[in-house]
Amino acid sequence: NSFCSNCITMRAYSEQDTFVKIEYNNDKVFLITATPVNIENTTYIVEILKDISKNAKICDDKSNLELNISDLINKLNESSIRDGLTGIYNRRYINERLPVDINDSIVKEKPVSLIMADIDDLKEINDKYGHVIGDKVIISLTQLINDSIRKSSDWVSRYGGDEFLIVLNDVGLDDAYKVAEKIRNEFNSNVFKVDNNIIKVTASFGVYGTESKEFDVEKIIGNVDTNLYKAKINGKNLTYAENNLKLKEVQLSILERRIDDLRDTLNEICISTDEENANEFKLNISKYLDELIVDYIKKI
């Protein structure tokens, strides 16, 4: 009644190949083989479990000393599903675990929500300050995410270079949105010091909640990725969720950002630009600013 952290059965299903692993359980060593079998256009996975406690021996070739089997197996299993930089799960784990959680949510009729996070403009940080600083930024967001989710039921994986996929089990869209906003605001308040420079870094978030009976992992990941993309193209440092209430909050956040940017631009023009040449430009900006404010008031 539990899910293995290194599920070769799901891997055999998704990759249509045979996989083998060793498990250590209750002082016994098991050799497990998972292989796909196609019967009448349906794929089944056959598992073969063999107790090899008395038949197997693991040694270190260099010193010829017998190793601790439990430690060795755990290390091998963990290394295949963990990201080297952050220590969180990797892309392979997503392919193994997410289908199980979605299926579990359908059977138990409970929601599951996904959050996809992406660090804004990390490439520029890497180009300007180096990849060591970029890695520190990635690790910082990782720690913040780990501190913001439940260890017992939620998990996070590194989806790509600076993208993270967070899975919240038995959590609806509204609560998932709140989790994403909490992480975004806390990450936005962090500062990174490089020599005498202070770097402000932000992140964008897409949120998608599923309570349907449809079992389509690729489509679900595509939906949360689309929401992340919408957060990016609407100004970054935003959380976007496909929900009317949340969409309104996102629109207000975008308007607030545009209003603040225009105010800053207008102030700079008033201070630094020749009055004779800037009057028409200032009037146009001021007019657009008024229109945005009116639009903002209407949406409230």
Side-chain angles (χ1 to χ4, degrees):
N1 266 347
S2 63
F3 173 78
C4 299
S5 61
N6 187 2
C7 181
I8 62 168
T9 298
M10 186 57 68
R11 201 180 309 168
Y13 181 84
S14 60
E15 299 183 28
Q16 286 296 292
D17 202 353
T18 298
F19 289 87
V20 177
K21 75 170 178 176
I22 298 174
E23 285 283 355
Y24 185 79
N25 192 347
N26 295 327
D27 295 327
K28 289 187 176 182
V29 182
F30 294 90
L31 177 66
I32 304 165
T33 304
T35 188
V37 177
N38 294 304
I39 303 174
E40 297 181 354
N41 297 322
T42 301
T43 299
Y44 299 87
I45 303 300
V46 177
E47 288 186 350
I48 301 173
L49 293 84
K50 169 72 174 175
D51 184 352
I52 59 171
S53 306
K54 298 179 181 179
N55 306 83
K57 188 175 182 182
I58 302 175
C59 298
D60 184 341
D61 291 337
K62 293 181 180 179
S63 62
N64 203 30
L65 295 176
E66 201 166 328
L67 300 176
N68 185 308
I69 295 177
S70 176
D71 291 343
L72 178 63
I73 292 173
N74 289 336
K75 184 177 181 180
L76 288 172
N77 286 339
E78 283 292 303
S79 65
S80 67
I81 56 171
R82 293 283 180 179
D83 175 59
L85 175 65
T86 62
I88 60 175
Y89 294 116
N90 56 21
R91 185 73 171 265
R92 167 178 280 178
Y93 186 80
I94 296 173
N95 298 333
E96 296 176 10
R97 176 66 186 269
L98 186 55
V100 175
D101 282 349
I102 293 173
N103 183 70
D104 193 53
S105 73
I106 294 172
V107 172
K108 296 180 179 178
E109 297 184 345
K110 293 183 178 181
V112 58
S113 294
L114 280 68
I115 301 171
M116 190 168 283
D118 180 84
I119 299 172
D120 298 327
D121 304 316
L122 184 64
K123 183 180 183 301
E124 285 75 3
I125 294 173
N126 285 330
D127 292 343
K128 187 174 183 179
Y129 301 104
H131 286 271
V132 173
I133 301 303
D135 287 349
K136 288 183 178 179
V137 173
I138 291 173
I139 292 171
S140 175
L141 180 55
T142 301
Q143 293 172 341
L144 184 54
I145 293 173
N146 273 327
D147 291 340
S148 303
I149 62 176
R150 301 164 301 177
K151 303 295 187 296
S152 58
S153 57
D154 306 331
W155 53 273
V156 55
S157 287
R158 192 175 177 189
Y159 188 76
D162 58 345
E163 287 187 337
F164 300 83
L165 182 69
I166 307 164
V167 177
L168 307 177
N169 287 296
D170 196 15
V171 174
L173 182 66
D174 289 348
D175 288 332
Y177 179 86
K178 294 175 183 176
V179 172
E181 275 291 87
K182 175 180 179 291
I183 297 171
R184 185 185 68 81
N185 286 319
E186 290 187 15
F187 188 66
N188 186 37
S189 65
N190 286 346
V191 294
F192 299 89
K193 294 182 179 179
V194 182
D195 298 329
N196 294 325
N197 299 313
I198 294 179
I199 308 173
K200 285 283 292 181
V201 187
T202 62
S204 300
F205 295 79
V207 185
Y208 182 78
T210 174
E211 299 180 22
S212 68
K213 299 294 183 181
E214 184 178 10
F215 184 85
D216 191 332
V217 175
E218 289 186 6
K219 184 178 179 180
I220 291 171
I221 291 181
N223 287 335
V224 71
D225 189 43
T226 297
N227 287 349
L228 172 62
Y229 174 73
K230 290 177 181 178
K232 286 286 191 181
I233 64 174
N234 282 296
K236 302 177 182 178
N237 192 21
L238 293 171
T239 298
Y240 190 99
E242 197 62 52
N243 174 288
N244 289 335
L245 175 61
K246 296 299 171 286
L247 178 59
K248 178 179 178 181
E249 293 180 9
V250 168
Q251 289 172 336
L252 291 176
S253 178
I254 294 169
L255 278 173
E256 288 174 353
R257 185 188 306 283
R258 289 176 179 170
I259 290 170
D260 289 339
D261 289 345
L262 277 172
R263 280 176 175 152
D264 291 340
T265 303
L266 191 58
N267 287 335
E268 290 176 4
I269 291 173
C270 290
I271 294 171
S272 60
T273 308
D274 180 26
E275 189 73 25
E276 184 177 348
N277 297 326
N279 281 337
E280 184 178 353
F281 190 41
K282 285 190 289 185
L283 286 173
N284 288 335
I285 292 180
S286 190
K287 180 181 177 182
Y288 183 50
L289 180 60
D290 290 340
E291 291 173 354
L292 281 178
I293 293 173
V294 170
D295 191 18
Y296 179 76
I297 293 172
K298 285 181 180 178
K299 288 185 181 296
I300 293 176

